[in-house]
Amino acid sequence: MKEKAHIVVIGTGGTIAGRGASSVNTSAYACSVLSIDEVLSGIPEVAAVSRVSAEQLMQIGSENFTTEHLLQLGKRIDTLLRRDDVDGIVVTHGTDTIDETAYFLHLTLKSPKPVVVVGSMRPPSSLSADGPLNLYNAILVASSPASHAKGTLVVSNDEIHSARDVVKTSTFKLESFRSPYGPLGYIVEGNPRYYRVPARRHTTETQWSVDEIYQLPEVGIVYAHAGIDAAVIEATAQSGIRGLIYAATGNGNVAGHVVGALLRARRRGVQIVRASRTGSGIVTRNGAQPDDEYDWLVVDDQVPQKARLLLMLSLSDGQHSTELQDVFYRY
Ligand code: ASP
């Protein structure tokens, strides 16, 4: 008989480890209170499919994640993945920034073994809690040979998403996680089924390795709106950041009265990247603004919070603007 896969489940907190005052508290509850062992005790069914060991790495809401937390988590996973007796990793995580953590791992881990990040929209104490099945599914996905070499995955609501594409789109709905090109697959009756694979480079094919990263340059995001004050851009650009993602309206449109502030920031050495606040679609290089002339970049189709991570990693390599633009088209 084939041996069961050994999956290490790393607890970091979040709603999946939360508890409400009553079973009807689906939105107001205490987050990050149950230990990873308590969370796993809710899914004894998992013993039939995988050999699971658990460790509590941190116990925080994901809105509190910093670069240091990303590095701590990434380095721990990297160490575990090097072990021959570990077949895959599941990370339980708050849903707020699950897309950022998963994307960071997707870009910096150096193993084809499955890494799955999972959260829940409702605490385990609530009626129709989604955490137990999400976690069970995540362990199945991490145990499946079909999940090899697909990069970091996010499992939620019976769907398997690529870390590159997935974003949280609702504050409370179970179907909050969406990828603009759809999920990679589903989990049906305990079977992960894939229908497509990530087209962009990830994990073993990237230029970054988490074990070689000790700090990252800071990159800020400014969210555009009608009537935005250029002073917000000036203040952000002068806060010590090396790059600024401008979450512009539409296809990277920049209001005429703030172009000067962005140009000044660029002259002071801050890398400017045009993104879109719409949540999907491409920002066209040299479309709404003359990026070649201004020495600005565009995100391709990446959302601002993930473009930020990509720029932080790229700037840590000290790359030139042309190479930085290629990075956005490559990953
Ligand atoms: N505040 C929580 C977090 O991201 C929300 C959640 O887990 O769903 O940690």
Side-chain angles (χ1 to χ4, degrees):
M1 205 183 85
K2 214 183 136 290
E3 250 189 67
K4 287 178 199 159
H6 176 207
I7 305 302
V8 180
V9 181
I10 301 176
T12 72
T15 294
I16 195 165
R19 188 169 37 217
S22 84
S23 60
V24 292
N25 290 131
T26 55
S27 301
Y29 50 83
C31 166
S32 315
V33 291
L34 301 178
S35 71
I36 190 59
D37 291 329
E38 288 173 298
V39 173
L40 279 164
S41 70
I43 50 165
E45 297 83 356
V46 88
V49 287
S50 312
R51 188 161 64 85
V52 170
S53 47
E55 57 182 63
Q56 188 84 52
L57 190 66
M58 46 191 101
Q59 185 70 304
I60 57 172
S62 70
E63 65 278 12
N64 298 310
F65 257 68
T66 62
T67 303
E68 288 68 40
H69 291 112
L70 288 180
L71 290 173
Q72 184 190 357
L73 177 62
K75 285 177 193 293
R76 181 62 191 143
I77 296 173
D78 176 65
T79 303
L80 289 167
L81 289 176
R82 287 172 198 267
R83 276 171 39 184
D84 291 340
D85 68 325
V86 173
D87 299 302
I89 304 286
V90 169
V91 180
T92 58
H93 197 288
T95 58
D96 286 7
T97 64
I98 201 171
D99 54 349
E100 295 176 53
T101 297
Y103 189 49
F104 177 77
L105 300 173
H106 188 72
L107 293 172
T108 61
L109 291 174
K110 286 284 151 288
S111 169
K113 292 180 188 176
V115 175
V116 183
V117 193
V118 65
S120 71
M121 296 302 293
R122 295 176 182 158
S125 52
S126 100
L127 289 172
S128 296
D130 54 334
L133 186 57
N134 281 351
L135 182 54
Y136 178 73
N137 281 341
I139 293 170
L140 290 180
V141 169
S143 307
S144 168
S147 304
H148 268 242
K150 293 202 168 48
T152 301
L153 303 165
V154 173
V155 164
S156 181
N157 206 29
D158 296 331
E159 293 180 340
I160 309 165
H161 291 265
S162 169
R164 180 189 187 273
D165 297 335
V166 73
V167 281
K168 183 176 185 178
T169 65
S170 165
T171 56
F172 74 99
K173 287 161 86 176
L174 298 190
E175 65 271 33
S176 176
F177 289 93
R178 291 269 173 261
S179 296
Y181 312 105
L184 300 182
Y186 303 120
I187 304 109
V188 183
E189 291 285 317
N191 290 309
R193 293 194 198 180
Y194 287 93
Y195 296 91
R196 55 187 200 89
V197 292
R200 296 293 181 98
R201 292 184 208 183
H202 57 78
T203 53
T204 53
E205 305 155 333
T206 77
Q207 61 211 67
W208 305 287
S209 184
V210 72
D211 64 320
E212 293 166 2
I213 306 172
Y214 297 96
Q215 55 183 27
L216 286 169
E218 202 37 75
V219 169
I221 301 175
V222 172
Y223 191 96
H225 56 88
I228 184 171
D229 188 341
V232 174
I233 297 173
E234 301 276 8
T236 308
Q238 290 178 51
S239 64
I241 55 174
R242 296 259 316 277
L244 189 153
I245 310 292
Y246 188 68
T249 54
N251 187 351
N253 291 304
V254 182
H257 70 278
V258 303
V259 169
L262 291 170
L263 286 174
R264 281 191 292 284
R266 183 70 199 106
R267 278 199 293 276
R268 283 196 297 269
V270 177
Q271 194 69 58
I272 303 298
V273 187
R274 288 192 299 126
S276 174
R277 67 175 201 178
T278 59
S280 68
I282 288 156
V283 176
T284 314
R285 187 168 172 86
N286 294 318
Q289 293 290 327
D291 299 295
D292 285 349
E293 183 189 331
Y294 291 170
D295 196 24
W296 291 355
L297 308 172
V298 290
V299 289
D300 188 15
D301 66 337
Q302 200 47 278
V303 293
Q305 68 270 28
K306 291 192 200 174
R308 171 179 172 270
L309 290 167
L310 193 48
L311 187 63
M312 286 162 68
L313 287 165
S314 309
L315 288 172
S316 70
D317 296 344
Q319 291 178 344
H320 188 265
S321 306
T322 326
E323 288 155 22
L324 289 172
Q325 184 60 76
D326 285 348
V327 162
F328 281 97
Y329 290 130
R330 198 179 305 142
Y331 297 107

